[in-house]
Every structure is written in structure tokens, then in C-alpha cells.
Amino acid sequence: MSSMEQGGKTAARGWAASDASGLLSPYNFSRRAQGDGDGDVTIKVLFCGICHTDLHVIKNEWGNAIYPVVPGHEVVGVVTAAGPGVTKLKAGDTVGVGYFVDSCRSCGSCGAGHEKYCPRLVLASNGVDRDGAITKGGFSDVLVVNQDYVVRVPESLPPDGAAPLLCAGVTVYSPMVQYALNEPGKHLGVVGLGGLGHMAVKFAKAFGMTVTVISSSPGKREEALCRLGADAFLVSHDAAQMKAAAGSLDGIIDTVSAEHQIVPLLELLKPMGQMVVVGAPSKPLELPAHAIIAGGKRVSGNGVGSIADCQAMLDFAGEHGIAADIEVVGMDYVNTAFERLERNDVRYRFVVDVAGSHLDATA
């Protein structure tokens, strides 16, 4: 597939949702031309992961959809052209684009290297770019992105298995590093064994940690222990198991995006233990004050990671051979994939073979 610049724009083909049904169909559109910014690179999209956030947005479950929505923020592709001011990348480089594609670069968060919390963050999909255009994501054949928001994908990583690292991977890796939940010998609890959870287990084991998976699905025990290498498994609704493990964990990464109780999870923490919430349930979590006052326990949230975090995560993954467990699908299967994702019928991440799919809108 190829894209041409037409009338100062870059022609693009993708799939989009046009309303809150969330159904995607072929959609032709245009992106800014690379010449509009000398630091831009043009990227041929090879693969794009499907994130639970995409499902929330295409169905307008968060009330922020700007239709038509072209989803996708776990992108791996190849640079096909680079602007005259590009110094970090060149044509032929395998690269990644994650959850955001620009920020203000002048606020306190940007200055501190936490651009993911910039108040003017430009999302890769369903965001508002500096020129007022609505951003279109990786369910398309081409992206045009400033070099400062593009990361290199190590040659040792398979491009399809690397795609989910751009969101799922960095979302768990970043807080593990930030809160020192990456130290050998520490005990980490991972709540939920889905797209984010299985990545948290892989990173934690590579860090040399002891890992307990906490899940509402007893059937995931063998997967967690035998295939992913977790050290222990707790069924979250088994009161006896949970009580026996009370006060045993240094930290918890909570990846669950469905409604769930967090007080029983906090009871698993040691005094002054740290819970990080990275899943995004549609309904509010209930947190009584006594659950954190007793034991001085801490609860924080985390949204993806900075560009530096993302590059460090990819480099670590490349060194340790860490990729997502995926099911590769064609673009014509994405509506079925979203239906399956909604009922958690994937192990553990769908990845769309964008470059191998037919994207043209039909008459």
C-alpha cells in the first residue's frame, strides 16, 4: 500500500466508527503533509494493537467520541520519509507510535519528562491536533508524526508482538519503575490477566520479582503459573485464599477495566504498600478512607508512559525477549474482534495486520 500527497495533504485509508454502535467500516481521509513540519516523519503502518480504550471510545462510553473515529494507538510501522529537520530517524527504521503524538512542550509536566500528563496532550486517535484537526489513529495505512513522539522498535522484537507494548506494555512498565516495583525479590500482585496483566507478569519476572496473579477466573490459574511463570495465583472471590495472603505484597498493579472491589486487594498489601490503578472501569471505584489509613497504604493511578519511558521499556523488552501474546487479525475482522474483546475472549491482545489488509472504501 502507498499514500500520495494531494493538494498539500497526505491521502490515507483506514477503518472508522461513524456512531456509538462502534461498528467500523472503510474510510478514506487525509492527513497533514509531511512538509507542514520539518520534524515530521511519514510512517507506513504495519501492525496496530486493539486496546480496551479503543472499545470505550468507538462506543462513546466515556462521552468523548468525535466521529468518525479511526481508532488505534499501538502502532508499529516503517519510516518511509523524513523531513529536513529530522535527526533521530531515517527511512527504513522500524518505529512505534503510542497513545499520544504531541504535547505543548512548555508546561511543567512536559519540562519534567512527564508529557503524558500535559494539559494540551494530543492523542493519537480521537484527539485535537494543534491545527484543530481531529486525529486519526493506527487503523490506517499511513501516519505523519513529529519525530519527538516516535520511538525505535528494537530489531530483536517481532513487529506484531511489539505493537501492544506501545500502550499495554508501557502502561504497566512505567509505574513499576516509578514506584520501585521493579526490584529483585520484591513481591508484586497483578490483578487481572488480560492485555495489561500478562505484560505486567512478564516484566515483573524479568525484573526478578515474585509475582502473584489475582483473578476472578479460576480457569486462568494454569496459564498464569505454568505458561507465564507467575509464582502464585489467587481467586479474588475466594475469601479463604485472600485472607491467607493478607499483608504479603509490596505492591499491586490493578489492570482490571471492569467494575470490581479494591478494598480486598488493599488488604493484600504490606504496611505502606503501593497499589497502582491502570485499568479504567466505567463506574467509580469505592475506596473507604479506613482501607488506606490503616497500614498507611497508597493508591495511585497511571496513564501510559512518557516517550522516554516507552523507549526504555522497548529497549528492556528487546534485551529480555518480551513481546505481547497476540492474535493477529485482518482489518475485515475488527468488528468481530471488538465483540470478542468486550467479552474478554482474547489471549491476550488482538493485533491488526494493517499492511496486509484491504482498506479501500467500496462504492
Side-chain angles (χ1 to χ4, degrees), residues 117 171 176 253 314 325 335 342 361:
Y117 298 131
T171 294
M176 290 170 75
I253 302 289
L314 286 171
D325 293 351
N335 289 314
E342 197 162 20

Side-chain angles (χ1 to χ4, degrees), residues 170-181 253 276 278 302 304:
V170 73
T171 294
V172 296
Y173 176 95
S174 176
M176 290 170 75
V177 173
Q178 180 180 352
Y179 296 107
L181 298 177
I253 302 289
V276 185
V278 296
N302 181 75
V304 292

